[in-house]
Amino acid sequence: MKTEINDMIKKLPVLFLCVTLTFCAKPKEREKQKENLDLQYIEAAEKWTEALPIGNGSLGAMIYGGVAQEHIQFNEETLWRGQPHDYAHEGAGKYLGGIRELLTEGKQLEAQKLAQDHFMSDPIKQIHYQPFGDIYIDFKDHDNFKNYKRELNLNNAVGSVSYTVNDVDYKREVFSSFPDQVIAIHLTASKAKALNFDLWLDAIHEDKSVMTTNDSQTLVVKVKDGVLRGVSTLKIITDGNIENTEGKLQITEASKATVYLTAATNYIDFEDVSGNPEKIVPETLAKVSNTDYEAVKSKHIADYQTLFNRFEISFGDNGKSANPTNQRIYDFWKDPNDPQLVALYVEYARYLTIASSRPGTKPATLQGIWNDQLTPPWFSSYTTNINLEMNYWPVEMYNLSECHEPLFDLIEDLSITGAKVAKAHYNADGWIAHHNVDIWRGAAPVNASHHGIWLGGAGWLSTHIWEHYLFTQDKGFLKERYPLIREAALFYSQYLYKDPQTGYLISSPSNSPEIGGLVAGPTMDHQIIRALFDITIEAAAILGEDTDFAAELKTLIPQIAPNQIGKHGQLQEWLEDKDDPEVHHRHVSHLWGVHPWNEINYEDTPEFMEAAKQSLRFRGDNGTGWSLAWKINFWSRFKDGDHAYELLHKLLSPAEKPDGKVGGGSYSNLFDAHPPFQIDGNFGGASGILEMLIQSQLGKIELLPALPQALPQGSISGVCARGGFELDFTWEDSRLTGVKVLSKAGGKCILVYGDKQMELETEKGGTYSFDGTLQSL
Ligand code: FUC
């Protein structure tokens, strides 16, 4: 008895501590549920899109996981072709009036020609993001192996490869550390001195050199047609012997070895290339090279988990999560009944955000930070007529708000280069960006006039600043970045053109991305400009600034060409009623007002909602990866979760099907396939899944607005809503069972579930719990 009491007493403080911790736990301290969050394979990667990505925002790598030879292809985000350059075309503005007149007269081809000859970026093309280098590790006599496993663990952002040769277990771990700015590779063998390998660096650049010392190698690359050079050094620490043999580090009789690699370029910003990678690289390595591997790993995991562990999502696990990821993608195509894969897709997008977009880094490109080609698809740059923004759709919702910052820094750069373009091309103040941007922050219209002259860039990007404010309620942030919004609005206020035919203010010349050529007055632009004017007015009022300018914008809004319903019952894509229901183009730009924006919604404009749905039906259910992803978001806003899930089914199906068909879907490493690989679909798809579960665009938080039948049970926690709220909620049998709201900023919170609505005044830091009928607990 005494012992039992003693035991109880011993346990008491522990129990008490647990209770206290649970009660006090802020969402960021939440322990991550141990759901299987591994991407896992029983074979090495053969293709790049089978390799597994790691990244710390700037330093990324793709791990192939070969047995006889490991190949780790790596990138550093500032290695691009080209040089500081002002792409504005001096004198272009002289032709603006002529282009507009030709469009008004219906002479589209002449307008496009005039624009092509005199109005385009100088030069007409932007430039490419570059791969950096390759790490190779050759293992002797490892051809006969068993128990092979290759994994990427999303819980700690560590990739690993393990297998057995002659009863010796070999293991590699690879990660990219944000705190230490290195890629770390750790190799072990279960038997002493069994580790023997050659290690070296290489690159596919023509201009490259490799220098080897006792325990390190340095790769220097120079880009073609440009001023940037990259320096990368790896250093090995091992209990075995190291020899420099024919330019390779030969390691023999080791039990363990750690390789640290870092890389840098001379890029400082879009105007300055005076950086000194020869100094940065050894300094970075010196800080880490005497540190024990386990310490570097722990620091990496702790840093990563401060971001990753804020959020959890689960739809249950029907046992398929034990299967290799490539098999799961294939099985999902046959039968989309693997709810855990849907949760994994969201968590993977969060992983990719953290890996490609950390404060202080550049935003995620079309491929994040991962690229192995000297001439990658679409330059692996920033396409702003959908792709760049899509990369950031889920970032606030899935609780990675600070990872949004690189986008705001890019907007800051564009406000400088885009101001020159505004002057040179439109004789206007403020700033503008067209459909493509590169690391030199080119903002002028590129490629061809029929799609390059698209005027939505500055407006759409600026809405991200407002969204960040809505989610965080951070007025300091709004004050700091508000000038970007105001200067974009200033541009449009001067650029809008009174259509001689309709009398409306229209956007001309422009384009409905990337369909129908150069036109006067595409619907999307007007939606974007209205949204921008609205948020400028609201932000100015919050900050107590720019009263006169806000009043001017208020008078402009009703003059802008409105949304219109056409003869097929569709939302018109253009000023004229000329939509062709047979055209199944991947872009669905005129539905911008449904998602990501909200001027078209069931409450205020149900008839436009129906028309938009009609347009989406005409466009059909096929598309490139990002197009499928956008359609998931649309169908969620249309509150048709089952239709949204049909699109998700396509997005989560193999990009390369066994029947030889290649289409929008997922590669075996779960990278989105346009095809080719584009990361936007990963982020857009995750956003679409979240939009099925929670929407907050109309000043209310709607729970399970578009829950598909395929996801009847689940839980989500740490998901964010506009107004500064963070929510945890659960559902069973397709019905809400409970919800908890954390109010980060105080103020009114309106919760909606089905036909129930609940309104409460919250206090900053307060938490509020409800049952499935929204009754307070
Ligand atoms: C736009 C899209 C293409 C592709 C490219 C990067 O031009 O129309 O589908 O995603 O961006």
Side-chain angles (χ1 to χ4, degrees), residues 675-740:
F677 163 51
Q678 261 185 220
I679 206 161
D680 41 21
N682 287 95
F683 297 126
S687 160
I689 295 165
L690 295 176
E691 288 272 334
M692 295 173 184
L693 308 178
I694 178 168
Q695 295 181 19
S696 62
Q697 64 275 11
L698 298 175
K700 301 170 179 180
I701 302 172
E702 191 167 359
L703 301 167
L704 305 179
L707 186 69
Q709 289 178 58
L711 302 172
Q713 65 171 67
S715 65
I716 187 164
S717 57
V719 67
C720 296
R722 293 172 188 82
F725 301 104
E726 195 170 309
L727 290 93
D728 303 353
F729 56 96
T730 50
W731 65 100
E732 273 166 38
D733 296 329
S734 301
R735 294 164 67 89
L736 187 72
T737 46
V739 51
K740 187 167 138 208

Side-chain angles (χ1 to χ4, degrees), residues 366 377-379 381-387 435-436 447 451 513-514 585-587 624 626-627 674-675 678 680:
L366 287 169
W378 295 288
F379 304 87
S381 69
Y382 303 101
T383 307
T384 53
N385 66 14
I386 173 70
N387 320 82
H435 98 295
N436 233 85
N447 301 350
H451 72 273
E514 296 167 9
H585 197 272
R586 61 192 179 284
H587 284 268
T624 58
W626 63 256
S627 176
H674 180 288
Q678 261 185 220
D680 41 21

Side-chain angles (χ1 to χ4, degrees), residues 451-727:
H451 72 273
I453 302 176
W454 169 72
L455 269 289
W460 192 346
L461 287 167
S462 298
T463 63
H464 278 255
I465 295 169
W466 181 244
E467 287 279 27
H468 181 78
Y469 167 72
L470 288 182
F471 276 92
T472 61
Q473 299 291 302
D474 180 349
K475 288 206 178 72
F477 164 82
L478 186 63
K479 189 163 177 55
E480 187 195 337
R481 305 285 192 173
Y482 165 72
L484 301 173
I485 298 180
R486 182 194 55 219
E487 292 300 300
L490 182 62
F491 169 80
Y492 290 107
S493 70
Q494 297 179 8
Y495 155 78
L496 278 170
Y497 167 68
K498 187 158 181 171
D499 179 20
Q501 276 158 5
T502 62
Y504 288 131
L505 289 179
I506 60 166
S507 171
S508 176
S510 193
N511 165 256
S512 192
E514 296 167 9
I515 169 172
L518 195 64
V519 296
T523 299
M524 175 195 229
D525 284 16
H526 303 147
Q527 294 174 348
I528 290 176
I529 297 168
R530 266 194 299 276
L532 177 67
F533 286 2
D534 279 339
I535 65 179
T536 311
I537 293 165
E538 267 195 75
I542 291 166
L543 299 171
E545 294 181 21
D546 291 330
T547 321
D548 294 347
F549 182 50
E552 186 194 332
L553 296 182
K554 260 185 213 156
T555 66
L556 293 180
I557 291 173
Q559 300 176 53
I560 298 172
N563 291 315
Q564 301 181 79
I565 298 175
K567 57 179 179 278
H568 306 290
Q570 88 285 10
L571 181 70
Q572 283 181 207
E573 185 158 2
W574 295 278
L575 213 46
E576 308 83 21
D577 187 3
K578 59 180 185 185
D579 300 60
D580 180 349
E582 298 304 321
V583 169
H584 310 298
H585 197 272
R586 61 192 179 284
H587 284 268
V588 207
S589 306
H590 48 317
L591 269 59
W592 189 89
V594 176
H595 183 277
W597 215 247
N598 53 50
E599 76 168 7
I600 301 179
N601 62 70
Y602 280 127
E603 267 182 43
D604 307 314
T605 55
E607 67 290 1
F608 283 111
M609 211 54 174
E610 286 311 318
K613 210 195 271 188
Q614 179 76 319
S615 293
L616 189 58
R617 280 193 208 104
F618 289 152
R619 279 296 213 267
D621 283 349
N622 289 322
T624 58
W626 63 256
S627 176
L628 297 172
W630 200 355
K631 289 171 185 173
I632 300 172
N633 289 271
F634 287 136
W635 285 111
S636 296
R637 289 268 165 115
F638 291 135
K639 302 197 178 168
D640 187 341
D642 288 338
H643 204 144
Y645 198 82
E646 278 177 38
L647 273 305
L648 179 63
H649 181 194
K650 289 177 191 252
L651 188 64
L652 255 169
S653 290
E656 291 154 24
K657 318 243 180 341
D659 58 12
K661 286 198 184 130
V662 179
S666 297
Y667 294 107
S668 71
N669 64 2
L670 269 182
F671 268 175
D672 161 60
H674 180 288
F677 163 51
Q678 261 185 220
I679 206 161
D680 41 21
N682 287 95
F683 297 126
S687 160
I689 295 165
L690 295 176
E691 288 272 334
M692 295 173 184
L693 308 178
I694 178 168
Q695 295 181 19
S696 62
Q697 64 275 11
L698 298 175
K700 301 170 179 180
I701 302 172
E702 191 167 359
L703 301 167
L704 305 179
L707 186 69
Q709 289 178 58
L711 302 172
Q713 65 171 67
S715 65
I716 187 164
S717 57
V719 67
C720 296
R722 293 172 188 82
F725 301 104
E726 195 170 309
L727 290 93

Side-chain angles (χ1 to χ4, degrees), residues 214-227:
N214 289 344
D215 61 357
S216 75
Q217 255 199 350
T218 297
L219 166 74
V220 179
V221 297
K222 287 203 180 102
V223 300
K224 199 173 165 188
D225 308 328
V227 295

